């Protein structure tokens, strides 16, 4: 345990708490829209930072680094390429997403397909986002245990409290500004660490390349092509349908700024994914016997980096996990308010009521997520492939809203049902033939959406121009 690391971590966490307290004032969260959309007034640099930090959490800092450690830099870049490729698609629909002003992705789906699709999508989203939040608690707790005497369980409690405070206090505004600060710190830390590790510690590019196992220097990392595709698709599909992305685009000050922020997100994503791929694979040269999940954390904590830089990298990694957890927590609570309480239960809430229920929902989801991660690890494993369930189930009908007007309500319902049932079944069977479930469920989902839509009557309703009240009337 390094005193400098502990001091850096404490100061960083204090800063995160301070941001949450500052934006929890009524001046910033007077209405439910302030809470969920930050008053639709986020500056463009903050938009870019919050898009980046929301997407890059423990799945990148721990999972991505683990993949790079196990399979090498080239294979890991292909694995993480789902992010920039997905962002390109988001770029072309960013203006329409901002114009739609939908509170949730299920609400967006209802405007096109009807209330039944919204209910199914809301249930999938709440389940998936609770599991993803639990994963952030667990990953953050592990980082805390590396830096401090706290156990991973004690660290998870601390991380859960901070994540919940950020989400329940100032809503998206506090989350977005903490995202912005965290994005700057982690990007600078990764870029400064890269030449130190590759140059000073390893001895240059040649020593790095020759020091890796032979499979790590190949394009595939020793993996079959189908396996690589199975790693690429879940991230690609998730970002296309990620409600966090849509809500942040909705929080932009204008349609043009939403599109510009998406372009900024595209370029800044490489400032994280490429260093993670290189540093994660460099760790196998320096520390060939560590657990893959600890690749980047070990570089920061085992003396390979200057102590202050190592502290900043560890703190930044934790901050990314915290902000990602806050985002999924806040977003999932939005589904409870707008999709479950108001739409499914028919409870009429005024603005103050929505704000109160939203905060209560944040607390409830946080409690459930902690229980999942702490006491039911086998259930958490089921939640973790909710990345695939969520992406495969929601991405096709969401993209059809913008790109294929012939898609129908019954096509959406059928495809979402096939996605959930087939993905879970395939995973429970242990991925027969080592084929990732997405390679089976995605083609089946797409075929179902197209075939059923062509066989059923459709609608050409516009999600941007149609008010929700009209959609509700038609859905009945």
């Amino acid at each position: 345990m390094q005193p400098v690391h502990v001091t850096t971590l404490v100061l960083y966490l204090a800063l995160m708490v301070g941001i949450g307290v500052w934006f929890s004032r009524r001046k910033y969260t007077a209405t439910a829209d302030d809470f969920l959309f930050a008053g639709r007034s986020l500056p463009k640099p903050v938009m870019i930072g919050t898009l980046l930090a929301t997407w890059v959490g423990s799945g990148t800092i721990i999972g991505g680094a683990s993949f790079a450690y196990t399979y090498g830099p080239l294979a890991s870049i292909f694995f993480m390429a789902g992010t920039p490729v997905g962002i390109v698609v988001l770029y072309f629909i960013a203006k329409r997403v901002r114009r739609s002003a939908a509170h949730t992705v299920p609400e967006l789906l209802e405007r096109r397909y009807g209330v039944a699709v919204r209910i199914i999508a809301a249930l999938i989203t709440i389940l998936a986002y609770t599991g993803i939040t639990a994963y952030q608690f667990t990953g953050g707790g592990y980082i805390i245990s590396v830096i401090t005497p706290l156990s991973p369980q004690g660290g998870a409690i601390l991380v859960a409290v901070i994540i919940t405070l950020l989400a329940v206090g100032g809503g998206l505004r506090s989350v977005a500004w903490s995202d912005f600060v965290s994005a700057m710190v982690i990007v600078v830390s990764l870029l400064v660490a890269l030449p130190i590790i590759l140059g000073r510690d390893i001895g240059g590019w040649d020593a790095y390349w020759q020091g890796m196992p032979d499979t790590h220097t190949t394009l595939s990392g020793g993996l079959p092509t189908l396996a690589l595709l199975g790693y690429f698709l879940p991230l690609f599909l998730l970002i296309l349908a990620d409600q966090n992305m849509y809500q942040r685009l909705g929080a932009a000050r204008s349609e043009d700024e939403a599109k510009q922020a998406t372009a900024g997100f595209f370029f800044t994503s490489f400032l994280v994914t490429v260093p993670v791929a290189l540093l994660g694979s460099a760790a196998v040269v320096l520390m060939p016997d560590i657990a893959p999940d600890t690749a980047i954390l070990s570089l920061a904590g085992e003396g390979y980096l200057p102590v202050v830089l190592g502290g900043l990298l560890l703190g930044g990694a934790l901050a990314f996990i915290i902000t990602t957890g806050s985002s999924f927590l806040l977003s999932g609570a939005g589904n409870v308010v707008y999709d479950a309480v108001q739409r499914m239960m028919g409870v009429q809430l005024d603005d103050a009521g929505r704000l109160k229920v939203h905060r209560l929902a944040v607390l409830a989801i946080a409690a459930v997520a902690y229980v999942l991660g702490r006491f039911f690890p086998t259930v958490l494993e089921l939640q973790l492939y909710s990345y695939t369930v969520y992406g495969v189930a929601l991405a096709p009908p969401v993209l059809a809203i913008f790109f294929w007007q012939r898609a129908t309500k019954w096509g959406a319902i059928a495809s979402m049902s096939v996605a959930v049932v087939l993905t879970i079944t395939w995973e429970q069977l242990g991925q027969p033939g080592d084929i990732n479930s997405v390679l089976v469920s995605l083609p089946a989902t797409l075929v179902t959406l197209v075939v059923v839509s062509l066989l059923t009557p459709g609608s050409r309703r516009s999600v941007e121009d149609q008010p929700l009240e009209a959609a509700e009337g038609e859905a009945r």
Side-chain angles (χ1 to χ4, degrees):
M1 181 181 68
Q2 288 278 2
V4 174
H5 289 172
V6 176
T7 302
T8 303
L9 178 66
V10 170
L11 292 174
Y12 209 109
L13 294 180
L15 176 61
M16 295 293 101
V17 171
I19 292 174
V21 171
W22 177 264
F23 286 111
S24 66
R25 296 180 299 164
R26 183 170 178 79
K27 171 183 177 181
Y28 294 108
T29 54
T31 68
D33 259 17
D34 286 340
F35 195 73
L36 190 61
F37 290 116
R40 302 188 191 275
S41 61
L42 290 179
K44 185 166 56 177
V46 177
M47 280 285 298
I48 295 172
T50 191
L51 286 167
L52 178 64
T54 296
W55 184 247
V56 179
S58 56
T60 300
I61 300 299
I62 295 177
S66 174
F67 190 94
Y69 185 93
T70 305
Y71 300 109
L74 300 179
S76 64
I77 288 175
F78 185 87
F79 162 54
M80 290 187 281
T83 295
V85 175
I87 295 172
V88 170
V89 179
L90 288 178
Y91 175 81
F92 289 104
I93 63 174
K95 284 189 175 183
R96 298 177 66 183
V97 171
R98 174 62 178 82
R99 193 180 311 147
S100 71
H103 294 91
T104 66
V105 165
E107 178 184 323
L108 192 69
L109 288 167
E110 180 184 2
R111 296 182 186 183
R112 173 66 179 274
Y113 304 113
V115 68
V117 174
R118 179 175 186 172
I119 292 173
I120 296 171
L123 293 174
I124 293 171
T125 304
I126 293 172
L127 175 67
Y129 281 22
T130 302
I132 294 170
T133 301
Y135 186 52
Q136 308 308 314
F137 290 172
T138 303
Y142 184 79
I143 294 180
I144 293 286
S145 72
V146 171
I147 303 174
T148 74
L150 285 176
S151 66
Q153 293 76 22
I157 293 175
L158 177 60
V159 170
V161 169
I162 295 175
I163 284 176
T164 305
L165 176 62
L166 281 174
V168 81
L172 181 59
R173 203 183 300 266
S174 66
V175 171
W177 278 95
S178 61
D179 283 350
F180 175 63
V181 173
S182 300
M184 289 194 297
V185 171
I186 196 68
V187 167
V188 171
S189 299
L190 288 171
L191 293 179
V192 173
L194 197 57
I196 293 175
I197 295 296
L198 294 182
R200 188 193 69 181
D201 294 331
I202 292 182
W205 181 263
D206 288 341
Y208 157 72
W209 196 254
Q210 294 170 9
M212 289 188 294
D214 291 340
T215 56
H216 284 46
T217 60
T218 65
L219 285 173
S220 66
L223 288 169
T225 302
L226 278 180
L228 274 176
L229 187 60
Y231 282 112
F232 166 84
L233 284 173
L235 281 176
F236 172 67
L237 294 172
L238 178 62
I239 197 171
L240 291 180
D242 186 3
Q243 186 168 262
N244 286 295
M245 300 293 107
Y246 287 75
Q247 288 173 339
R248 276 154 178 74
L249 293 175
R253 293 185 293 196
S254 67
E255 294 177 17
D256 286 336
E257 286 205 1
K259 191 169 186 178
Q260 292 163 11
T262 308
F265 178 28
F266 173 82
F267 290 110
T268 56
S269 70
F270 292 101
L271 300 180
V272 175
T273 56
V274 173
V276 164
L278 293 174
L279 289 171
S281 54
V284 78
V285 178
L286 296 171
M287 299 169 287
D289 298 320
I290 62 171
D293 284 352
T294 68
I296 285 183
L297 304 182
S298 294
L299 290 175
E302 298 296 329
Y304 289 99
L305 292 173
V307 65
V308 173
L309 178 60
L312 285 174
L313 186 56
L314 289 169
L318 178 61
F320 257 22
I321 290 173
I322 287 174
T323 55
T324 298
S326 298
S327 297
F328 279 98
L329 188 54
L330 179 67
S331 188
N335 293 110
V336 174
V337 176
Y338 295 98
D339 301 322
V341 174
Q342 291 199 157
R343 191 68 179 104
M344 293 168 59
M345 299 179 186
V347 178
Q348 298 302 314
L349 297 171
D350 58 16
D351 201 63
R354 284 193 296 271
L355 187 58
K356 180 179 180 180
V357 172
H358 206 149
R359 283 177 163 149
L360 290 174
V362 167
L363 295 174
I365 293 177
V368 172
Y370 177 76
V371 170
L372 284 174
R374 177 66 181 87
F375 298 108
F376 299 101
T378 55
V379 176
L380 179 57
E381 289 174 8
L382 178 65
Q383 301 297 316
L384 291 181
Y385 59 71
S386 61
Y387 280 103
T388 302
V389 173
Y390 181 86
V392 174
L394 266 64
V398 167
L399 291 179
I401 290 174
F402 300 102
F403 298 115
W404 192 45
Q405 292 189 352
R406 186 61 184 82
T408 68
K409 175 183 73 174
W410 292 111
I413 292 174
S415 68
M416 291 165 68
S417 301
V418 167
V420 172
V421 172
L422 190 52
T423 300
I424 292 178
T425 301
W426 196 262
E427 291 285 347
Q428 289 301 299
L429 291 174
Q431 296 187 351
D434 289 330
I435 297 176
N436 193 301
S437 57
V438 70
L439 299 175
V440 177
S441 57
L442 180 59
T445 299
L446 291 173
V447 169
T448 302
L449 176 64
V450 172
V451 171
V452 176
S453 292
L454 292 176
L455 295 176
T456 54
S459 168
R460 295 181 180 272
R461 295 180 294 183
S462 168
V463 298
E464 301 102 322
D465 301 328
Q466 183 188 25
L468 180 58
E469 292 77 9
E472 292 173 350
E474 290 186 35
R476 299 189 187 102

